Amino acid sequence: MAERIMYVQLKSGFDGDRGPAWIARVEFSRSWRSLRFHGRKLRRVAGTASANADSNFYDVETGERYWVSGPKRDRTDGRYSAQQPVVDDDARSAYEAFLSGAPISGREHG
């Protein structure tokens, strides 16, 4: 599985970008259609019946919707608010290096 530092925000039950958010290590499947995050298995939203502009992944057990994207150096990860994410301890050093200009592991060439 490919592991990356990502921005993850819970969208279900919250208006706009008011749900809790994290900078966390996630493990993507080989197909990149699912990932593991905080012990949850998230699957990519696919098809027009499930399409949602506010979420791009959902929890396969609970149906909760999430927005998952690469972190931004300018820290504007939330699309509709300035809320700052919680940075997981195991992601902190890689995230701080990224903010200082280093590439995200796995994205050195793109």
Side-chain angles (χ1 to χ4, degrees), residues 4 6 13 18 48 50 70 76 80 83 88 100 102 106:
R4 291 235 178 117
M6 300 294 284
R18 291 189 170 88
T48 56
S50 300
T76 59
Y80 308 118
Q83 173 184 325
D88 287 357
S100 297

Side-chain angles (χ1 to χ4, degrees), residues 13-106:
F14 297 92
D15 292 332
D17 272 2
R18 291 189 170 88
W22 303 266
I23 298 293
R25 287 190 183 278
V26 302
E27 292 181 340
F28 284 93
S29 65
R30 284 188 201 164
S31 66
W32 293 81
R33 292 185 183 140
S34 64
L35 62 85
R36 291 238 175 244
F37 159 75
H38 286 184
R40 299 173 176 264
K41 183 175 181 181
L42 307 184
R43 186 164 291 140
R44 190 177 299 276
V45 173
T48 56
S50 300
N52 183 326
D54 267 356
S55 64
N56 56 357
F57 282 84
Y58 66 93
D59 185 312
V60 297
E61 289 185 18
T62 66
E64 290 177 315
R65 301 252 178 195
Y66 289 83
W67 180 260
V68 180
S69 65
K72 297 180 182 177
R73 281 198 174 90
D74 63 4
R75 297 182 184 209
T76 59
D77 298 296
R79 298 183 311 161
Y80 308 118
S81 79
Q83 173 184 325
Q84 292 300 303
V86 172
V87 180
D88 287 357
D89 289 339
D90 66 341
R92 186 171 309 283
S93 63
Y95 180 60
E96 288 173 356
F98 167 74
L99 293 176
S100 297
I104 288 281
S105 177

